[in-house]
Amino acid sequence: MTHHAPFRPQPPHGRRVLALIIVAATATAVLSGNAATAASGPDACSTATSPLTGARVVTVYSRPGNIVREFLRPGRSPIFISSADLLHTAVLPVLGRTVTQRQQVRSMMGPALSATNGDFFTIYGADGVEVAPGGIPVKGTSYYQPAIVIDDHRNPLISQVKLSIALHSRPSPTHTIVVDAQAYNSARPAVDGLSVFDSRWGAPALLGSMRWQPQPATSYTVAGGRVISVVPGVSTVAIPAGGFRVVAQGNGNGRLVAAGWHVGTTVARFVAAQAPDLRHVNGALGVGRPTITGGHILGSACGFDVATPRTLFGILPGGRTAVLVAASGQGLTMRESNALMRGIGVASAAMLDGGGSTVMTVRTTGPVQLTVHPYRYEGDRPVPDALGVFAR
């Protein structure tokens, strides 16, 4: 099934139209327009034409609401694009059992129709924020971080998310003191800050090797709603099930002492996600950086402009269609990535992790990995999170 026009998905308006679009993939309904013309010429952060121009297009996966196509050009590695009709599907974060645990996308995608890898990461988990579907904060900081955010209607937007991390103590039955923390299951400790970790963090031994601020630290461990231990330094003892640990640095420890934190004090934590202009964050996945806003390529989207495997996410105008892109093998430069997304016609776009992490999977009778893996000696790289397309 082939066509030679560049890819321009059209937002469908119901099941009947979607069925027509699937059939028309052999002709011109979905793969219409001209990416080179849409790009309207080169600029500082884009090539003149889309890398999809002149590609042979093969539909490799088709389910109601989700179509995946492979774009093939001589001398280039394949590019896979998953188009999600947001009337019938939802794009949601896929998270591991713990922040620091990594799995192959095909092992963690669950009932997703298709999925790509997610945020950049280290041994301490994803770099950015994670909020599980339903609005359950998993990791993040008290300052805004760029993210794919899921709203109350389970629709995605590219925005930013921060966490409100409140530590409540009751030094007496009638007196409650609230102290704000700065990091939650995150390897981004703040100067004079309070970092909170719970069982979603995973391996407590990793706390000992984190890059902490060069300040004295004190560890408070909580179980059953009470402080059960206070020790100097960063404790790597297992975090009790249902409990949590606070690592206080510098003046952060003084704030806890003033709030009456000591062995036996009744304490609790309350964590909530916040995003600009949203009443409720229903999910979130951190991104490396936004690259397109309002249809315009951002000046900050020029970085690391070498050919490498890329994973990209975009939303078309009107918010009815989202695209997930996996450019495998030799991959794309940053400027080519921007030209591709602008050629598709996205209103907003962001870059996810790439390199050896880039992968796209689809579900048939079981997960099937589509990409030609960029680093064959490494295999399918385990990652801490992913982005999936789910049937509504």
Side-chain angles (χ1 to χ4, degrees), residues 128-146:
V129 64
E130 291 181 342
V131 179
I136 304 167
V138 173
K139 74 178 299 287
T141 63
S142 61
Y143 57 86
Y144 279 117
Q145 295 177 284

Side-chain angles (χ1 to χ4, degrees), residues 120 289 300-310 332-337 351 353-355 375:
F120 290 77
R289 68 179 60 159
S300 59
C302 296
F304 197 59
D305 191 36
V306 299
T308 188
R310 304 272 183 181
L332 302 169
T333 67
M334 199 65 238
R335 284 170 170 78
E336 287 174 329
S337 300
M351 179 175 65
D353 194 12
Y375 307 130

Side-chain angles (χ1 to χ4, degrees), residues 7-13 17-18 21 28-33 83 85 316 320-321 344:
F7 179 58
R8 181 181 292 276
Q10 303 295 321
H13 300 284
V17 175
L18 180 62
I21 288 175
T28 59
V30 177
L31 307 174
S32 61
S83 178
D85 160 26
L316 269 68
R320 304 287 288 274
T321 304
I344 289 174

Side-chain angles (χ1 to χ4, degrees), residues 18 45 243 245 258 293 312:
L18 180 62
C45 293
R245 175 167 297 138
T293 299
L312 311 167

Side-chain angles (χ1 to χ4, degrees), residues 263-354:
V263 173
T265 303
T266 299
V267 298
R269 74 195 184 286
F270 297 91
V271 186
Q274 302 173 2
D277 303 321
L278 277 186
R279 188 179 66 173
H280 178 247
V281 175
N282 199 32
L285 184 79
V287 299
R289 68 179 60 159
T291 55
I292 296 176
T293 299
H296 300 290
I297 298 171
L298 301 175
S300 59
C302 296
F304 197 59
D305 191 36
V306 299
T308 188
R310 304 272 183 181
T311 304
L312 311 167
F313 174 76
I315 304 169
L316 269 68
R320 304 287 288 274
T321 304
V323 291
L324 291 76
V325 179
S328 60
Q330 71 196 69
L332 302 169
T333 67
M334 199 65 238
R335 284 170 170 78
E336 287 174 329
S337 300
N338 295 333
L340 183 154
M341 297 303 277
R342 189 170 62 173
I344 289 174
V346 301
S348 58
M351 179 175 65
L352 296 165
D353 194 12

